Amino acid sequence: MTVRTSTSGEASSSRNWLFMGVAVLLTIAAGIGTFMWQSGGMIPSTGGEAAQDANAAATAAGFDTKDKAAIEAIVRAYILENPEIIPEAVQKLQGKQAANRIASVRSEVEKPFAAAFAGNPDGDIVLAEYSDFACGFCRQSVSDVARLVSEDKNLKIVFHELPILSDESRLAAAWGLAAAQQGKYYAFYKAMFGAGRPSQATIEQAAKTAGLDIAAARSFAATKQADEVIDANIRIAQQLEFSGTPSWVVGNKVLNGAVGYDELKSAIDEARAAKKAVG
């Protein structure tokens, strides 16, 4: 490779910076390759299309065989000495992918069905919860939700039904939508999780505790509209690659499981800071 410069010192410096830049790019590529391998994807072989493209790009940039060998040695040594950069690169990639997936459905995620929300209706940050009334981990999170609503007066929590555990949990979800139509979702949410596993008896008990019009709720729960709302939630859960319930969406993050108050609060604070930074 020929470097045009006024002094040998400047040439050496330019080459060092170039090597380092290429090393960083190749290291990130290595991280992505690791992610693909962990996900069951195929990593291109040395003689594959990706390697051919890399060789063509290196040749076009003016690298000769010795330059390429030196870069490969630098990259290999750097990765071996700093293996932590691979999971860091994977984490960053996963974050970007999650943000892109959320962006494509954000309006659906942050918009409640009727009054299926708690907290400030005009809050600056929306925390969306996807839960199943038959889920013990969701039940564990009820107190976390209550604490967030109590402490953060500028937070809106949107609830989405994601009944994946049983036929009874789907029935309870339909009654939850009926409660939202009557403006009493959060009361039903707390009562239903407090009543135990969903059954016809516990569902109606929760509905009475929440003060629902039982006949109207029973009628709505049997409608096609209730089924369509639940099915749409399931499609979004698949698109966002939830691993189960509860799952949470806030800002550009997906959190899976009963992660607890501290992690939810941290994610909310991060989303709020990012929103303020954008202006």
Side-chain angles (χ1 to χ4, degrees):
M1 175 182 174
T2 301
V3 180
R4 293 186 178 87
T5 184
S6 58
T7 68
S8 60
E10 290 175 350
S12 176
S13 176
S14 297
R15 179 166 293 193
N16 287 340
W17 280 108
L18 183 57
F19 281 176
M20 185 57 69
V22 174
V24 171
L25 291 174
L26 293 181
T27 299
I28 292 172
I32 294 171
T34 301
F35 172 73
M36 292 175 62
W37 172 76
Q38 291 173 338
S39 303
M42 295 298 292
I43 300 175
S45 64
T46 303
E49 183 179 344
Q52 292 173 4
D53 289 344
N55 284 334
T59 300
F63 289 100
D64 59 25
T65 302
K66 290 181 179 180
D67 290 328
K68 287 187 282 187
I71 291 170
E72 289 169 1
I74 293 170
V75 172
R76 183 176 186 278
Y78 189 80
I79 292 175
L80 290 176
E81 292 173 6
N82 302 276
E84 68 277 4
I85 65 175
I86 293 179
E88 287 173 6
V90 171
Q91 186 177 20
K92 189 169 184 179
L93 173 64
Q94 290 173 324
K96 286 184 177 180
Q97 290 175 330
N100 289 337
R101 287 192 292 267
I102 292 169
S104 68
V105 292
R106 188 177 300 281
S107 60
E108 294 96 324
V109 168
E110 295 188 348
K111 181 180 179 181
F113 173 78
F117 69 89
N120 186 341
D122 300 313
D124 65 334
I125 292 297
V126 173
L127 170 67
E129 178 188 2
Y130 287 76
S131 61
D132 185 323
F133 285 119
C135 167
F137 294 110
C138 301
R139 187 173 294 109
Q140 290 178 25
S141 300
V142 172
S143 60
D144 298 324
V145 168
R147 184 177 173 186
L148 289 168
V149 169
S150 174
E151 294 181 355
D152 190 337
K153 300 306 181 182
N154 208 20
L155 174 68
K156 181 178 183 179
I157 300 182
V158 170
F159 302 98
H160 294 289
E161 307 300 332
L162 189 60
I164 56 177
L165 296 177
S166 68
D167 292 338
E168 289 77 14
S169 62
R170 187 170 179 113
L171 178 61
W175 277 70
L177 296 176
Q181 270 208 331
Q182 296 183 30
K184 298 179 179 179
Y185 180 87
Y186 190 42
F188 179 81
Y189 169 94
K190 292 183 286 186
M192 188 67 243
F193 277 121
R197 289 189 65 83
S199 67
Q200 190 65 50
T202 58
I203 291 169
E204 293 200 15
Q205 175 190 332
K208 290 176 182 176
T209 301
L212 300 191
D213 178 328
I214 301 300
R218 183 182 293 113
S219 176
F220 179 81
T223 63
K224 181 179 180 182
Q225 183 183 6
D227 275 335
E228 288 174 344
V229 172
I230 292 169
D231 289 341
N233 290 344
I234 292 172
R235 286 194 295 273
I236 287 177
Q238 292 169 339
Q239 187 169 342
L240 296 183
E241 299 183 359
F242 294 164
S243 61
T245 54
S247 286
W248 317 81
V249 182
V250 57
N252 288 324
K253 266 191 174 181
V254 170
L255 304 173
N256 290 298
V259 297
Y261 169 85
D262 289 340
E263 191 164 344
L264 290 172
K265 179 68 164 58
S266 177
I268 291 166
D269 290 344
E270 182 181 329
R272 182 168 281 137
K275 189 172 184 179
K276 287 181 179 178
V278 172

